[in-house]
Amino acid sequence: MGASEENSALFPIFVFTIMALPLVPYTIVKILNTFSKKAMTIHCQCSVCSRSGKYRKSIFKRISNFSTCSNLTLVLLWIVMAVLIYYIKHTSHEVKVFEPFSILGLEHGASDSDIKKAYRRLSIQYHPDKNPDPEAHDYFVEYISKAYQALTDPVSRENFEKYGHPDGRQGLQMGIALPPFLLNIDGASGGILLLGIVGVCILLPLVLAVIYLSRSAKYTGNYVMHQTLSAYYYFMKPSLAPSKVLGVFIKAAEFMEIPVRRSDGEPLQKLFMLVRSELNLDLKNIRQEQAKFWKQHPALVKAELLIQAQLTRESKALTPALLRDFRRMLELSPRLLEELVKMALLPRTAQGHGWLRPAIGVVELSQNIIQAVPLSARKVAGGSSEGVAPFLQLPHFSEAIVKKIARKKVRTFQELRDMTLEDRVELLTQVAGLSSTETKDVEMVLEMMPSLTVDITCETEGEEGIQEGDIVTMHVWITLKRGSGLVAALPHAPYYPFFKEENFWLLLADPVSNDVWISQKVSFMDEAVAITAASKAIQELKEVSGASLKETNAAVREAVERVKSGSRLVMGKFQAPGEGNYNLTAFCLCDSWIGCDKKTNLKIKILKRSRAGTRTGALSEEGAGMEEGIEEEEQEEEDEYDDYESEYSEDEEDDKDSKRNGVVPAAGTAAAAESSDNE
């Protein structure tokens, strides 16, 4: 019984230890990560963003940010730990060693007469005939009597002197740190113990495995459903116009799972009337077009109308239920748009190229959703290929203000950005009619907008010139500058209710053939990661070229300084095509700002092979084909476009098949790079 009680007392200590092993290091790491975050303001400070409440750190906001599932679970576990510590402290007791001399109050080596005197004295105090207290009776039987016997009985005394116990040698006792009722295997307790063992050792791992496998079978690593990727792959076409990208985007399985309630009918009808001009309906047959629109799957209708509510800034007209669905769609949109870009850039051709036109369309759609600007605002107007869309992302701007400043020969967004501060303030206050506070807001946003420069070179390592079949290395430095001096920043997006980081897409493409040779996502948010990547890439490049250690270290230091000053290094390899001249363009597209994209023209010349052997290694970048045996008809618009511009002004059906000029997976050269800004 004593051993059972001892095991029961150890059970809280066992539970405490099991909980503390993972909990303590996890808490330390979480605290260190919290204090290591820089307390630097990287979001827009204009009054429109302030009124949106997205960055407001009120007490309720702080509680909401803290009250995440992981944080609350962590606090709860620490409360349990504190309760266990209190319980162990107040219930634990030390195991007392049997010491007969101490029990009788004698010194070691006392004589027999002293032992008898001490026993008689304690008997008067604790004997049941003298003291009716039950505790006194137990103490007399368990301790005093045994102590007297151990010291007066020759055998017991010999055992005590040899083994430290009157009963002789004591074997090693082992137990289980579990409560007594679980150790009693008779009756219901045995069933409880059995169920506990089966549940913890068998059922719990099995349930976790099933949940993990079912989730991994349904979602990709970017938490996008496999069904969504299948739909995007099927509907993605090489000639997909930017104005048609929205129709593909809303076919995500995540949007289809959002319930369509009966109560949504009337609010959606009202929303339809508000955004009808943005739905590309044929006004000549408006009734037939409306009927056709409502005959679509209800989930598609709801998804398109809610996205249009964001683009047209009509979310105030939504009911609370629709507003929850609206926020859910906007929360999912960035990752879905990223996967849609990747699907457009997926190697489809025999040469392993992706498609440029739909990729640009997806990035433009992302810009419009983040900035809440209608797609129709991209129609070419006033000499600008992007229309009035870039102006509408500025606070307090409207189409009427754009028309006013156009009379002063400021027709493009870049012209507005290139003006001096004094001239721009005069234009906004005297011509546009903005107040001084509103003008200050505009200046704040313009200072947050990125300006990009792209420095690109392509060369065959260790060789002069590029010959057909060579493995070419593309080396690109993208430099970002802002008027505010920040490198990492959050975009001005008061109508997008969630935090959104800037991301950029670098595309090396041939606009004429609609082929993307190399693509890569670039971020300016994490400087440490960029330094590590640039240092490793430069070091490997120098080692291959046979540079000395001193030269390698100098090149790495230079790369690190460039990264700290706001540059990012992008490198890629691809195989040179056949002999000829190629006019490529490096597009650097931002997924959050309108009018901040950059393109750099690259003229390359591929020479006929004259070196011995062939240089045909396996491609390591995205330009390599990902799957074999995928056959698909490639559709291409009849009129090929020569330059990059939005095409929301024309919604032609591009269903005519045409053959494309064959080009081997692509090449670049160290030829001259001519940069030109998007208008």
Side-chain angles (χ1 to χ4, degrees), residues 628-656:
E628 295 182 358
I630 299 179
E631 297 181 359
E632 179 178 306
E633 291 185 4
E634 299 177 356
Q635 297 180 341
E636 190 177 57
E637 61 179 344
E638 182 176 357
D639 296 326
E640 295 178 335
Y641 54 94
D642 295 330
D643 198 4
Y644 156 51
E645 62 180 16
S646 300
E647 300 186 14
Y648 285 97
S649 58
E650 297 180 4
D651 294 332
E652 300 176 354
E653 296 294 333
D654 302 318
D655 297 328
K656 297 183 179 181

PDB file of all heavy atoms in Angstrom, residues 628-656:
ATOM      1  N   GLU A 628       6.401  15.404 -68.270  1.00  0.00           N
ATOM      2  CA  GLU A 628       6.497  14.931 -69.633  1.00  0.00           C
ATOM      3  C   GLU A 628       5.156  14.320 -70.015  1.00  0.00           C
ATOM      4  O   GLU A 628       4.435  13.769 -69.196  1.00  0.00           O
ATOM      5  CB  GLU A 628       7.599  13.876 -69.760  1.00  0.00           C
ATOM      6  CG  GLU A 628       8.990  14.443 -69.485  1.00  0.00           C
ATOM      7  CD  GLU A 628      10.063  13.379 -69.666  1.00  0.00           C
ATOM      8  OE1 GLU A 628       9.670  12.224 -69.956  1.00  0.00           O
ATOM      9  OE2 GLU A 628      11.236  13.709 -69.531  1.00  0.00           O
ATOM     10  N   GLY A 629       4.883  14.351 -71.276  1.00  0.00           N
ATOM     11  CA  GLY A 629       3.686  13.705 -71.784  1.00  0.00           C
ATOM     12  C   GLY A 629       2.445  14.542 -71.679  1.00  0.00           C
ATOM     13  O   GLY A 629       1.348  14.049 -71.958  1.00  0.00           O
ATOM     14  N   ILE A 630       2.553  15.806 -71.233  1.00  0.00           N
ATOM     15  CA  ILE A 630       1.374  16.662 -71.179  1.00  0.00           C
ATOM     16  C   ILE A 630       1.200  17.323 -72.532  1.00  0.00           C
ATOM     17  O   ILE A 630       2.024  18.129 -72.955  1.00  0.00           O
ATOM     18  CB  ILE A 630       1.522  17.734 -70.083  1.00  0.00           C
ATOM     19  CG1 ILE A 630       1.670  17.058 -68.717  1.00  0.00           C
ATOM     20  CG2 ILE A 630       0.343  18.665 -70.077  1.00  0.00           C
ATOM     21  CD1 ILE A 630       1.848  18.049 -67.599  1.00  0.00           C
ATOM     22  N   GLU A 631       0.153  16.984 -73.215  1.00  0.00           N
ATOM     23  CA  GLU A 631      -0.110  17.546 -74.529  1.00  0.00           C
ATOM     24  C   GLU A 631      -1.346  18.422 -74.443  1.00  0.00           C
ATOM     25  O   GLU A 631      -2.369  18.045 -73.908  1.00  0.00           O
ATOM     26  CB  GLU A 631      -0.342  16.425 -75.540  1.00  0.00           C
ATOM     27  CG  GLU A 631       0.879  15.533 -75.730  1.00  0.00           C
ATOM     28  CD  GLU A 631       0.638  14.454 -76.759  1.00  0.00           C
ATOM     29  OE1 GLU A 631      -0.492  14.412 -77.287  1.00  0.00           O
ATOM     30  OE2 GLU A 631       1.548  13.672 -77.012  1.00  0.00           O
ATOM     31  N   GLU A 632      -1.225  19.625 -75.000  1.00  0.00           N
ATOM     32  CA  GLU A 632      -2.348  20.553 -74.946  1.00  0.00           C
ATOM     33  C   GLU A 632      -2.291  21.481 -76.133  1.00  0.00           C
ATOM     34  O   GLU A 632      -1.224  21.873 -76.581  1.00  0.00           O
ATOM     35  CB  GLU A 632      -2.268  21.360 -73.641  1.00  0.00           C
ATOM     36  CG  GLU A 632      -3.387  22.379 -73.519  1.00  0.00           C
ATOM     37  CD  GLU A 632      -3.290  23.102 -72.191  1.00  0.00           C
ATOM     38  OE1 GLU A 632      -3.245  22.429 -71.168  1.00  0.00           O
ATOM     39  OE2 GLU A 632      -3.262  24.336 -72.221  1.00  0.00           O
ATOM     40  N   GLU A 633      -3.451  21.820 -76.658  1.00  0.00           N
ATOM     41  CA  GLU A 633      -3.514  22.773 -77.761  1.00  0.00           C
ATOM     42  C   GLU A 633      -3.155  24.146 -77.235  1.00  0.00           C
ATOM     43  O   GLU A 633      -3.613  24.582 -76.195  1.00  0.00           O
ATOM     44  CB  GLU A 633      -4.928  22.809 -78.338  1.00  0.00           C
ATOM     45  CG  GLU A 633      -5.316  21.536 -79.069  1.00  0.00           C
ATOM     46  CD  GLU A 633      -6.677  21.687 -79.718  1.00  0.00           C
ATOM     47  OE1 GLU A 633      -7.239  22.792 -79.643  1.00  0.00           O
ATOM     48  OE2 GLU A 633      -7.158  20.714 -80.281  1.00  0.00           O
ATOM     49  N   GLU A 634      -2.299  24.832 -77.949  1.00  0.00           N
ATOM     50  CA  GLU A 634      -1.881  26.175 -77.560  1.00  0.00           C
ATOM     51  C   GLU A 634      -2.587  27.178 -78.447  1.00  0.00           C
ATOM     52  O   GLU A 634      -2.500  27.114 -79.669  1.00  0.00           O
ATOM     53  CB  GLU A 634      -0.362  26.324 -77.700  1.00  0.00           C
ATOM     54  CG  GLU A 634       0.407  25.367 -76.811  1.00  0.00           C
ATOM     55  CD  GLU A 634       1.892  25.490 -77.038  1.00  0.00           C
ATOM     56  OE1 GLU A 634       2.268  26.276 -77.936  1.00  0.00           O
ATOM     57  OE2 GLU A 634       2.641  24.798 -76.351  1.00  0.00           O
ATOM     58  N   GLN A 635      -3.314  28.074 -77.803  1.00  0.00           N
ATOM     59  CA  GLN A 635      -4.057  29.084 -78.536  1.00  0.00           C
ATOM     60  C   GLN A 635      -3.317  30.401 -78.430  1.00  0.00           C
ATOM     61  O   GLN A 635      -2.764  30.746 -77.409  1.00  0.00           O
ATOM     62  CB  GLN A 635      -5.450  29.225 -77.934  1.00  0.00           C
ATOM     63  CG  GLN A 635      -6.272  27.930 -78.047  1.00  0.00           C
ATOM     64  CD  GLN A 635      -7.652  28.116 -77.444  1.00  0.00           C
ATOM     65  OE1 GLN A 635      -7.867  29.037 -76.674  1.00  0.00           O
ATOM     66  NE2 GLN A 635      -8.552  27.255 -77.811  1.00  0.00           N
ATOM     67  N   GLU A 636      -3.343  31.134 -79.514  1.00  0.00           N
ATOM     68  CA  GLU A 636      -2.608  32.396 -79.564  1.00  0.00           C
ATOM     69  C   GLU A 636      -3.449  33.415 -80.312  1.00  0.00           C
ATOM     70  O   GLU A 636      -4.100  33.091 -81.299  1.00  0.00           O
ATOM     71  CB  GLU A 636      -1.273  32.162 -80.261  1.00  0.00           C
ATOM     72  CG  GLU A 636      -0.331  33.331 -80.151  1.00  0.00           C
ATOM     73  CD  GLU A 636       0.995  33.000 -80.801  1.00  0.00           C
ATOM     74  OE1 GLU A 636       0.958  32.664 -82.011  1.00  0.00           O
ATOM     75  OE2 GLU A 636       2.017  33.060 -80.131  1.00  0.00           O
ATOM     76  N   GLU A 637      -3.478  34.635 -79.828  1.00  0.00           N
ATOM     77  CA  GLU A 637      -4.261  35.660 -80.512  1.00  0.00           C
ATOM     78  C   GLU A 637      -3.661  35.969 -81.883  1.00  0.00           C
ATOM     79  O   GLU A 637      -2.473  35.818 -82.115  1.00  0.00           O
ATOM     80  CB  GLU A 637      -4.287  36.938 -79.662  1.00  0.00           C
ATOM     81  CG  GLU A 637      -2.908  37.517 -79.437  1.00  0.00           C
ATOM     82  CD  GLU A 637      -2.988  38.776 -78.631  1.00  0.00           C
ATOM     83  OE1 GLU A 637      -4.090  39.316 -78.531  1.00  0.00           O
ATOM     84  OE2 GLU A 637      -1.959  39.211 -78.130  1.00  0.00           O
ATOM     85  N   GLU A 638      -4.521  36.392 -82.781  1.00  0.00           N
ATOM     86  CA  GLU A 638      -4.103  36.600 -84.168  1.00  0.00           C
ATOM     87  C   GLU A 638      -3.128  37.755 -84.282  1.00  0.00           C
ATOM     88  O   GLU A 638      -2.141  37.692 -85.007  1.00  0.00           O
ATOM     89  CB  GLU A 638      -5.345  36.865 -85.029  1.00  0.00           C
ATOM     90  CG  GLU A 638      -5.030  37.047 -86.512  1.00  0.00           C
ATOM     91  CD  GLU A 638      -6.291  37.217 -87.312  1.00  0.00           C
ATOM     92  OE1 GLU A 638      -7.362  37.137 -86.716  1.00  0.00           O
ATOM     93  OE2 GLU A 638      -6.193  37.429 -88.516  1.00  0.00           O
ATOM     94  N   ASP A 639      -3.389  38.823 -83.545  1.00  0.00           N
ATOM     95  CA  ASP A 639      -2.493  39.980 -83.608  1.00  0.00           C
ATOM     96  C   ASP A 639      -1.543  39.917 -82.433  1.00  0.00           C
ATOM     97  O   ASP A 639      -1.956  40.088 -81.301  1.00  0.00           O
ATOM     98  CB  ASP A 639      -3.314  41.284 -83.541  1.00  0.00           C
ATOM     99  CG  ASP A 639      -4.218  41.420 -84.750  1.00  0.00           C
ATOM    100  OD1 ASP A 639      -3.819  40.975 -85.843  1.00  0.00           O
ATOM    101  OD2 ASP A 639      -5.318  41.974 -84.579  1.00  0.00           O
ATOM    102  N   GLU A 640      -0.270  39.680 -82.686  1.00  0.00           N
ATOM    103  CA  GLU A 640       0.715  39.622 -81.611  1.00  0.00           C
ATOM    104  C   GLU A 640       1.058  41.048 -81.196  1.00  0.00           C
ATOM    105  O   GLU A 640       1.181  41.943 -82.018  1.00  0.00           O
ATOM    106  CB  GLU A 640       1.973  38.892 -82.081  1.00  0.00           C
ATOM    107  CG  GLU A 640       1.729  37.427 -82.412  1.00  0.00           C
ATOM    108  CD  GLU A 640       3.001  36.776 -82.927  1.00  0.00           C
ATOM    109  OE1 GLU A 640       3.852  37.521 -83.454  1.00  0.00           O
ATOM    110  OE2 GLU A 640       3.121  35.554 -82.816  1.00  0.00           O
ATOM    111  N   TYR A 641       1.241  41.229 -79.870  1.00  0.00           N
ATOM    112  CA  TYR A 641       1.553  42.567 -79.378  1.00  0.00           C
ATOM    113  C   TYR A 641       3.056  42.707 -79.230  1.00  0.00           C
ATOM    114  O   TYR A 641       3.763  41.802 -78.874  1.00  0.00           O
ATOM    115  CB  TYR A 641       0.853  42.836 -78.039  1.00  0.00           C
ATOM    116  CG  TYR A 641       1.113  41.821 -76.981  1.00  0.00           C
ATOM    117  CD1 TYR A 641       2.124  41.998 -76.048  1.00  0.00           C
ATOM    118  CD2 TYR A 641       0.339  40.653 -76.908  1.00  0.00           C
ATOM    119  CE1 TYR A 641       2.365  41.063 -75.080  1.00  0.00           C
ATOM    120  CE2 TYR A 641       0.587  39.705 -75.944  1.00  0.00           C
ATOM    121  CZ  TYR A 641       1.591  39.927 -75.028  1.00  0.00           C
ATOM    122  OH  TYR A 641       1.811  38.983 -74.059  1.00  0.00           O
ATOM    123  N   ASP A 642       3.536  43.917 -79.530  1.00  0.00           N
ATOM    124  CA  ASP A 642       4.973  44.164 -79.545  1.00  0.00           C
ATOM    125  C   ASP A 642       5.493  44.699 -78.221  1.00  0.00           C
ATOM    126  O   ASP A 642       6.681  44.718 -77.979  1.00  0.00           O
ATOM    127  CB  ASP A 642       5.331  45.184 -80.646  1.00  0.00           C
ATOM    128  CG  ASP A 642       5.022  44.616 -82.017  1.00  0.00           C
ATOM    129  OD1 ASP A 642       5.115  43.379 -82.164  1.00  0.00           O
ATOM    130  OD2 ASP A 642       4.696  45.404 -82.917  1.00  0.00           O
ATOM    131  N   ASP A 643       4.594  45.167 -77.352  1.00  0.00           N
ATOM    132  CA  ASP A 643       5.067  45.753 -76.116  1.00  0.00           C
ATOM    133  C   ASP A 643       4.098  45.390 -75.008  1.00  0.00           C
ATOM    134  O   ASP A 643       2.980  44.961 -75.253  1.00  0.00           O
ATOM    135  CB  ASP A 643       5.184  47.282 -76.267  1.00  0.00           C
ATOM    136  CG  ASP A 643       6.071  47.878 -75.202  1.00  0.00           C
ATOM    137  OD1 ASP A 643       6.639  47.097 -74.411  1.00  0.00           O
ATOM    138  OD2 ASP A 643       6.182  49.100 -75.158  1.00  0.00           O
ATOM    139  N   TYR A 644       4.523  45.594 -73.767  1.00  0.00           N
ATOM    140  CA  TYR A 644       3.717  45.240 -72.606  1.00  0.00           C
ATOM    141  C   TYR A 644       2.774  46.386 -72.256  1.00  0.00           C
ATOM    142  O   TYR A 644       3.208  47.480 -71.954  1.00  0.00           O
ATOM    143  CB  TYR A 644       4.657  44.949 -71.437  1.00  0.00           C
ATOM    144  CG  TYR A 644       4.061  45.123 -70.079  1.00  0.00           C
ATOM    145  CD1 TYR A 644       2.863  44.512 -69.761  1.00  0.00           C
ATOM    146  CD2 TYR A 644       4.702  45.898 -69.116  1.00  0.00           C
ATOM    147  CE1 TYR A 644       2.328  44.652 -68.509  1.00  0.00           C
ATOM    148  CE2 TYR A 644       4.179  46.046 -67.873  1.00  0.00           C
ATOM    149  CZ  TYR A 644       2.979  45.413 -67.573  1.00  0.00           C
ATOM    150  OH  TYR A 644       2.454  45.555 -66.329  1.00  0.00           O
ATOM    151  N   GLU A 645       1.489  46.137 -72.320  1.00  0.00           N
ATOM    152  CA  GLU A 645       0.520  47.128 -71.880  1.00  0.00           C
ATOM    153  C   GLU A 645      -0.773  46.411 -71.531  1.00  0.00           C
ATOM    154  O   GLU A 645      -1.047  45.300 -71.958  1.00  0.00           O
ATOM    155  CB  GLU A 645       0.263  48.185 -72.955  1.00  0.00           C
ATOM    156  CG  GLU A 645      -0.331  47.617 -74.234  1.00  0.00           C
ATOM    157  CD  GLU A 645      -0.579  48.694 -75.279  1.00  0.00           C
ATOM    158  OE1 GLU A 645      -0.031  49.799 -75.135  1.00  0.00           O
ATOM    159  OE2 GLU A 645      -1.329  48.427 -76.206  1.00  0.00           O
ATOM    160  N   SER A 646      -1.583  47.048 -70.681  1.00  0.00           N
ATOM    161  CA  SER A 646      -2.864  46.459 -70.315  1.00  0.00           C
ATOM    162  C   SER A 646      -3.791  46.469 -71.511  1.00  0.00           C
ATOM    163  O   SER A 646      -3.735  47.355 -72.359  1.00  0.00           O
ATOM    164  CB  SER A 646      -3.496  47.257 -69.168  1.00  0.00           C
ATOM    165  OG  SER A 646      -2.643  47.230 -68.051  1.00  0.00           O
ATOM    166  N   GLU A 647      -4.702  45.501 -71.558  1.00  0.00           N
ATOM    167  CA  GLU A 647      -5.600  45.396 -72.700  1.00  0.00           C
ATOM    168  C   GLU A 647      -7.046  45.272 -72.247  1.00  0.00           C
ATOM    169  O   GLU A 647      -7.827  44.514 -72.788  1.00  0.00           O
ATOM    170  CB  GLU A 647      -5.200  44.187 -73.548  1.00  0.00           C
ATOM    171  CG  GLU A 647      -3.774  44.302 -74.072  1.00  0.00           C
ATOM    172  CD  GLU A 647      -3.432  43.168 -75.022  1.00  0.00           C
ATOM    173  OE1 GLU A 647      -4.365  42.477 -75.457  1.00  0.00           O
ATOM    174  OE2 GLU A 647      -2.257  42.998 -75.313  1.00  0.00           O
ATOM    175  N   TYR A 648      -7.390  46.008 -71.199  1.00  0.00           N
ATOM    176  CA  TYR A 648      -8.756  45.960 -70.724  1.00  0.00           C
ATOM    177  C   TYR A 648      -9.716  46.704 -71.633  1.00  0.00           C
ATOM    178  O   TYR A 648     -10.918  46.627 -71.482  1.00  0.00           O
ATOM    179  CB  TYR A 648      -8.836  46.539 -69.307  1.00  0.00           C
ATOM    180  CG  TYR A 648      -8.300  45.596 -68.283  1.00  0.00           C
ATOM    181  CD1 TYR A 648      -7.006  45.710 -67.813  1.00  0.00           C
ATOM    182  CD2 TYR A 648      -9.073  44.562 -67.801  1.00  0.00           C
ATOM    183  CE1 TYR A 648      -6.497  44.835 -66.884  1.00  0.00           C
ATOM    184  CE2 TYR A 648      -8.586  43.677 -66.876  1.00  0.00           C
ATOM    185  CZ  TYR A 648      -7.304  43.816 -66.419  1.00  0.00           C
ATOM    186  OH  TYR A 648      -6.806  42.943 -65.497  1.00  0.00           O
ATOM    187  N   SER A 649      -9.181  47.451 -72.608  1.00  0.00           N
ATOM    188  CA  SER A 649     -10.048  48.189 -73.507  1.00  0.00           C
ATOM    189  C   SER A 649     -10.602  47.308 -74.602  1.00  0.00           C
ATOM    190  O   SER A 649     -11.549  47.689 -75.281  1.00  0.00           O
ATOM    191  CB  SER A 649      -9.270  49.357 -74.119  1.00  0.00           C
ATOM    192  OG  SER A 649      -8.127  48.865 -74.799  1.00  0.00           O
ATOM    193  N   GLU A 650     -10.035  46.115 -74.805  1.00  0.00           N
ATOM    194  CA  GLU A 650     -10.493  45.229 -75.860  1.00  0.00           C
ATOM    195  C   GLU A 650     -10.764  43.861 -75.274  1.00  0.00           C
ATOM    196  O   GLU A 650      -9.920  43.270 -74.609  1.00  0.00           O
ATOM    197  CB  GLU A 650      -9.437  45.117 -76.968  1.00  0.00           C
ATOM    198  CG  GLU A 650      -9.164  46.437 -77.659  1.00  0.00           C
ATOM    199  CD  GLU A 650      -8.111  46.284 -78.745  1.00  0.00           C
ATOM    200  OE1 GLU A 650      -7.679  45.124 -78.965  1.00  0.00           O
ATOM    201  OE2 GLU A 650      -7.756  47.282 -79.355  1.00  0.00           O
ATOM    202  N   ASP A 651     -11.959  43.340 -75.498  1.00  0.00           N
ATOM    203  CA  ASP A 651     -12.352  42.030 -74.992  1.00  0.00           C
ATOM    204  C   ASP A 651     -12.662  41.101 -76.136  1.00  0.00           C
ATOM    205  O   ASP A 651     -13.740  40.514 -76.235  1.00  0.00           O
ATOM    206  CB  ASP A 651     -13.592  42.152 -74.094  1.00  0.00           C
ATOM    207  CG  ASP A 651     -13.252  42.943 -72.851  1.00  0.00           C
ATOM    208  OD1 ASP A 651     -12.079  42.898 -72.464  1.00  0.00           O
ATOM    209  OD2 ASP A 651     -14.148  43.582 -72.300  1.00  0.00           O
ATOM    210  N   GLU A 652     -11.743  40.960 -77.070  1.00  0.00           N
ATOM    211  CA  GLU A 652     -11.954  40.093 -78.227  1.00  0.00           C
ATOM    212  C   GLU A 652     -11.803  38.648 -77.817  1.00  0.00           C
ATOM    213  O   GLU A 652     -11.060  38.297 -76.914  1.00  0.00           O
ATOM    214  CB  GLU A 652     -10.944  40.432 -79.315  1.00  0.00           C
ATOM    215  CG  GLU A 652     -11.035  41.871 -79.799  1.00  0.00           C
ATOM    216  CD  GLU A 652      -9.945  42.177 -80.814  1.00  0.00           C
ATOM    217  OE1 GLU A 652      -9.093  41.282 -81.019  1.00  0.00           O
ATOM    218  OE2 GLU A 652      -9.959  43.254 -81.389  1.00  0.00           O
ATOM    219  N   GLU A 653     -12.503  37.770 -78.496  1.00  0.00           N
ATOM    220  CA  GLU A 653     -12.383  36.335 -78.275  1.00  0.00           C
ATOM    221  C   GLU A 653     -11.197  35.831 -79.055  1.00  0.00           C
ATOM    222  O   GLU A 653     -11.179  35.893 -80.287  1.00  0.00           O
ATOM    223  CB  GLU A 653     -13.667  35.602 -78.724  1.00  0.00           C
ATOM    224  CG  GLU A 653     -14.900  35.972 -77.934  1.00  0.00           C
ATOM    225  CD  GLU A 653     -14.769  35.515 -76.498  1.00  0.00           C
ATOM    226  OE1 GLU A 653     -14.045  34.536 -76.274  1.00  0.00           O
ATOM    227  OE2 GLU A 653     -15.362  36.136 -75.622  1.00  0.00           O
ATOM    228  N   ASP A 654     -10.175  35.358 -78.297  1.00  0.00           N
ATOM    229  CA  ASP A 654      -8.942  34.900 -78.942  1.00  0.00           C
ATOM    230  C   ASP A 654      -8.956  33.385 -79.004  1.00  0.00           C
ATOM    231  O   ASP A 654      -8.325  32.719 -78.209  1.00  0.00           O
ATOM    232  CB  ASP A 654      -7.731  35.384 -78.141  1.00  0.00           C
ATOM    233  CG  ASP A 654      -7.723  36.881 -78.012  1.00  0.00           C
ATOM    234  OD1 ASP A 654      -8.017  37.534 -79.021  1.00  0.00           O
ATOM    235  OD2 ASP A 654      -7.444  37.375 -76.909  1.00  0.00           O
ATOM    236  N   ASP A 655      -9.728  32.828 -79.932  1.00  0.00           N
ATOM    237  CA  ASP A 655      -9.862  31.384 -80.025  1.00  0.00           C
ATOM    238  C   ASP A 655      -9.223  30.794 -81.260  1.00  0.00           C
ATOM    239  O   ASP A 655      -9.447  29.629 -81.591  1.00  0.00           O
ATOM    240  CB  ASP A 655     -11.355  30.986 -80.004  1.00  0.00           C
ATOM    241  CG  ASP A 655     -11.998  31.374 -78.690  1.00  0.00           C
ATOM    242  OD1 ASP A 655     -11.279  31.356 -77.673  1.00  0.00           O
ATOM    243  OD2 ASP A 655     -13.194  31.685 -78.695  1.00  0.00           O
ATOM    244  N   LYS A 656      -8.474  31.604 -82.005  1.00  0.00           N
ATOM    245  CA  LYS A 656      -7.880  31.086 -83.232  1.00  0.00           C
ATOM    246  C   LYS A 656      -6.529  30.464 -82.935  1.00  0.00           C
ATOM    247  O   LYS A 656      -5.692  31.047 -82.262  1.00  0.00           O
ATOM    248  CB  LYS A 656      -7.716  32.212 -84.253  1.00  0.00           C
ATOM    249  CG  LYS A 656      -9.052  32.824 -84.685  1.00  0.00           C
ATOM    250  CD  LYS A 656      -8.841  33.874 -85.751  1.00  0.00           C
ATOM    251  CE  LYS A 656     -10.176  34.479 -86.205  1.00  0.00           C
ATOM    252  NZ  LYS A 656      -9.993  35.483 -87.259  1.00  0.00           N
TER     253      LYS A 656
END
